[in-house]
């Protein structure tokens, strides 16, 4: 079984930065695509981006491209989401996810394991 634990959420002002971490427990971390999703109250869970098992070239949705960076350290079984130039609309609960899927088409139905979620609040 695969288990994920994310951390690093908090309160930041607009324009600030935050780094989220997600630790993977289980077998063959490097075989999983690792993704990030976020969900604001009253909204559906939104795909943010993902990184392949090799960690070469992550994919990002347009709304975060250029501001967010996904990376992974396979030696530590950890994936990161570096968030810069944060905007109030980035406020959400952020979830990491593990699955065997394309980094550009990761959907909730394809996720094998979810983290518990960590709240990111961006103030104006």
């Amino acid at each position: 079984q695969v288990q994920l634990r994310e951390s690093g959420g908090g309160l930041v002002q607009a324009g600030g930065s935050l780094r989220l971490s997600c630790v993977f427990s289980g077998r063959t971390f490097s075989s999983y695509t690792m993704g990030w999703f976020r969900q604001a109250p009253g909204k559906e869970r939104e795909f943010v981006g993902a990184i392949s098992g090799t960690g070469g070239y992550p994919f990002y949705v347009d709304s975060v491209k250029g501001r967010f960076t996904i990376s992974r350290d396979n030696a530590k079984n950890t994936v990161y989401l570096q968030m810069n130039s944060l905007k109030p609309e980035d406020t959400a609960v952020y979830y990491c996810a593990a699955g065997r899927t394309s980094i550009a088409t990761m959907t909730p139905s394809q996720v094998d394991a979810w983290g518990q979620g960590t709240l990111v609040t961006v103030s104006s």
Side-chain angles (χ1 to χ4, degrees):
Q1 59 182 342
V2 174
Q3 293 180 317
L4 304 176
R5 176 176 57 83
E6 64 259 273
S7 61
L11 174 65
V12 298
Q13 63 178 338
S17 298
L18 208 59
R19 191 191 196 196
L20 308 183
S21 300
C22 175
V23 179
F24 174 104
S25 297
R27 295 179 177 178
T28 61
F29 172 65
S30 62
S31 71
Y32 284 91
T33 292
M34 296 297 298
W36 288 94
F37 292 77
R38 64 187 182 184
Q39 188 167 23
K43 296 184 178 180
E44 66 180 14
R45 191 163 296 189
E46 175 190 21
F47 178 58
V48 175
I51 188 169
S52 68
T54 61
Y57 297 93
F59 173 85
Y60 309 95
V61 296
D62 288 343
S63 61
V64 307
K65 191 176 298 181
R67 299 188 297 120
F68 290 11
T69 302
I70 300 172
S71 61
R72 67 192 294 162
D73 186 341
N74 286 352
K76 297 181 178 179
N77 283 10
T78 302
V79 63
Y80 305 94
L81 179 63
Q82 177 67 47
M83 302 181 291
N84 299 325
S85 302
L86 283 162
K87 305 174 181 179
E89 50 263 46
D90 294 319
T91 296
V93 176
Y94 283 71
Y95 301 88
C96 63
R100 294 187 172 92
T101 183
S102 167
I103 61 172
T105 59
M106 198 174 198
T107 63
S109 64
Q110 297 172 316
V111 172
D112 294 327
W114 294 96
Q116 293 288 334
T118 185
L119 177 63
V120 173
T121 303
V122 184
S123 62
S124 300

